[in-house]
Amino acid sequence: MQFQFENSFDVKEKINKSKIAILPIGAVEAHGAHLPLGTDNILAERLSEKLAERVNGFVLPTLPYGQVWSLRNFPGSINISNNSLIRFIVDIGESLYKQGFTTFAMVNGHLGNATAMKEAARELFETCPGMKVLYLFYPGMNKAAAEVRETKSSHGTYFHACEIETSYMLYLAPEYVDMDRAITDIPDIPMSADVTPTPWEDFTSTAVLGDAKLATEEKGKYIIDIALENMVKLITE
């Protein structure tokens, strides 16, 4: 159910029957030449729609800007602060709580949002007792990705416009992928990037972290289906 297309006369009864709100959170940032700037928004939206179908939840309008400090200097990237993102999420969560929602699931499409989402969830834990708040980022994907990837990950945590994320897009939103422009770029990311502020232009000029040419719809479906199953369990159990 798309929350924004409901009307005020009918929505209260529907909330009473569902009580699950799903918020896609993405970002606008560089994703190479083969993926759009809004890749993280698109993935979060499409995944949220699939999740809502399985748990009978409402999909809220997407929060389309994220903390993209690392990529803020690439053409097209739009960065907001963690503090701004936290305040948005908390305000939305508290509004949902007042409307009668008992589950607030954030579906994240951008790793850089993770810190703000966790902090917002902690604040909502205090202000909205009884509302279950989840911050979800492809749960279980690491094991699943390791089973299908053909190239070694360029980083233990990061995946970006690469074999994995491009596969997600080929499965969830193939109309936005231009595989003719996919490249192989596996940068050497220094250990210091994990412990110091490091703009990504220090180690990549493309914002691609891997071999995007190896992406397939099948790989994307395999990982996404596992993540989706885990999301459903986390919400319903």
Side-chain angles (χ1 to χ4, degrees), residues 168-187:
Y168 291 174
M169 283 291 284
L170 286 173
Y171 172 49
L172 293 174
E175 67 271 28
Y176 295 111
V177 183
D178 184 355
M179 287 301 290
D180 290 338
R181 303 189 73 182
I183 64 170
T184 302
D185 186 5
I186 307 176

Side-chain angles (χ1 to χ4, degrees), residues 113-126:
N113 295 333
T115 297
M117 292 170 67
K118 185 174 183 177
E119 288 301 312
R122 287 175 170 175
E123 189 167 334
L124 290 169
F125 181 83
E126 303 296 339

Side-chain angles (χ1 to χ4, degrees), residues 164-208:
I164 300 303
E165 190 171 34
T166 304
S167 293
Y168 291 174
M169 283 291 284
L170 286 173
Y171 172 49
L172 293 174
E175 67 271 28
Y176 295 111
V177 183
D178 184 355
M179 287 301 290
D180 290 338
R181 303 189 73 182
I183 64 170
T184 302
D185 186 5
I186 307 176
D188 182 14
I189 302 176
M191 185 183 301
S192 60
D194 291 333
V195 295
T196 63
T198 305
W200 277 22
E201 62 263 28
D202 285 3
F203 54 77
T204 176
S205 61
T206 66
V208 176

